[in-house]
Amino acid sequence: KTATETMTKSASGELSVASIHNPSITPYLPSRDKANGTAILVIPGGGHRMLAITHEGYNVAEWLRDHGIAAFVLKHRLAREAESTYKIDVESLADTQRAIRIIRSRAKEWNIDASRIGAIGFSAGGELVSMAAAKPDSGSATATDPIDREPSVLQFQALVYPGRSGDIQPTKESPPAFLAASYTDRQDISEGLAEAYLRFKRAGAVAELHIYSTGGHGFGLRASNKRPVGNWIVRFEEWLKESGFVK
């Protein structure tokens, strides 16, 4: 936590963070004997006003690490908190792309296969993952900063009750997607994600959709989550294995 950030704890002990002006990633690296080479950038939600960093960030990263996947929790600049001068498609997206480049630039050091880097985003974080997946670039070969020479390409994406589902417009080249939401979420998210799935299919892009009967919005990863929604991350790991992203 830097001096500029504000951290709030809920009655249940979950943390949220705001006032982020120095973006960062927190690595969760599996032991070398357990690492399978896959890496995932984790982006919590919070309406671009704060980050729900416990149940949509740290808990997810710890689970992935314990299952051999290198995980990285992103703190990005927030476009909708009071008096923010940042924009979602400028600073927030740039922070996401920079995080992908950093992970790829240190792949050897972190025991990562650079061809198996993906991202998972929740709510507003899912919006950023979708944007990054739709706007990859190959990096700048002439950049002074070696990190900027790395591509911001994602090999796969996971969108969990993502914001602005209507903006998800896949092409045939879109990275494979794991999609999850709850039937009891807002209509624009539960129905919107189902419609986004159909757009993936019509575009010829690979996608798998899970709509759980309960869970509402923001279920994330909590020990208190009831099944079946509480097992969404197990389904996600199965999808990663079946798709060849976890070996």
Side-chain angles (χ1 to χ4, degrees):
K1 178 168 114 60
T2 68
T4 61
E5 294 174 5
T6 58
M7 195 78 77
T8 305
K9 183 180 285 189
S10 70
S12 63
E14 292 182 342
L15 298 172
S16 60
V17 61
S19 301
I20 299 162
H21 304 290
N22 297 298
S24 65
I25 56 172
T26 302
Y28 286 73
L29 302 177
S31 59
R32 279 198 163 265
D33 63 320
K34 201 170 188 177
N36 55 43
T38 304
I40 299 180
L41 178 66
V42 181
I43 310 183
H48 300 289
R49 295 176 182 87
M50 58 85 176
L51 298 178
I53 206 154
T54 299
H55 74 292
E56 294 177 349
Y58 300 146
N59 290 357
V60 176
E62 289 172 2
W63 193 98
L64 294 171
R65 176 200 61 201
D66 292 346
H67 289 76
I69 297 169
F72 304 84
V73 179
L74 175 64
K75 291 181 185 176
H76 62 82
R77 288 170 287 183
L78 299 163
R80 290 187 183 147
E81 63 181 334
E83 300 180 3
S84 175
T85 59
Y86 304 132
K87 294 182 179 180
I88 296 168
D89 59 352
V90 181
E91 286 84 3
S92 302
L93 177 59
D95 294 345
T96 302
Q97 293 171 321
R98 175 77 174 179
I100 298 165
R101 295 186 211 281
I102 290 171
I103 294 167
R104 186 163 276 113
S105 73
R106 298 179 68 174
K108 187 174 181 181
E109 173 188 350
W110 286 335
N111 202 24
I112 290 166
D113 180 345
S115 68
R116 288 189 280 133
I117 296 174
I120 183 169
F122 301 81
S123 194
E127 186 180 341
L128 287 174
V129 171
S130 176
M131 291 171 68
K135 298 179 179 180
D137 71 71
S138 56
S140 173
T142 59
T144 304
D145 184 344
I147 292 172
D148 288 332
R149 299 172 200 161
E150 298 288 342
S152 66
V153 175
L154 292 172
Q155 273 74 44
F156 60 89
Q157 56 183 317
L159 311 178
V160 185
Y161 44 83
R164 301 177 67 90
S165 295
D167 289 349
I168 301 171
Q169 298 292 333
T171 67
K172 192 174 182 179
E173 288 71 40
S174 294
F178 177 91
L179 313 173
S182 163
Y183 177 87
T184 53
D185 205 335
R186 302 194 316 259
Q187 184 177 10
D188 64 300
I189 291 180
S190 58
E191 292 188 13
L193 195 60
E195 291 166 356
Y197 165 79
L198 292 175
R199 291 195 294 274
F200 272 94
K201 187 167 180 62
R202 289 165 186 156
V206 176
E208 179 168 303
L209 173 65
H210 296 258
I211 300 286
Y212 294 96
S213 58
T214 59
H217 188 70
F219 50 79
L221 189 63
R222 297 180 170 104
S224 60
N225 283 352
K226 295 180 180 179
R227 296 180 181 181
V229 72
N231 273 351
W232 69 265
I233 198 164
V234 178
R235 305 286 83 80
F236 175 48
E237 184 190 31
E238 290 171 349
W239 177 81
L240 288 170
K241 289 178 177 178
E242 182 67 24
S243 303
F245 297 120
V246 166
K247 298 178 181 178

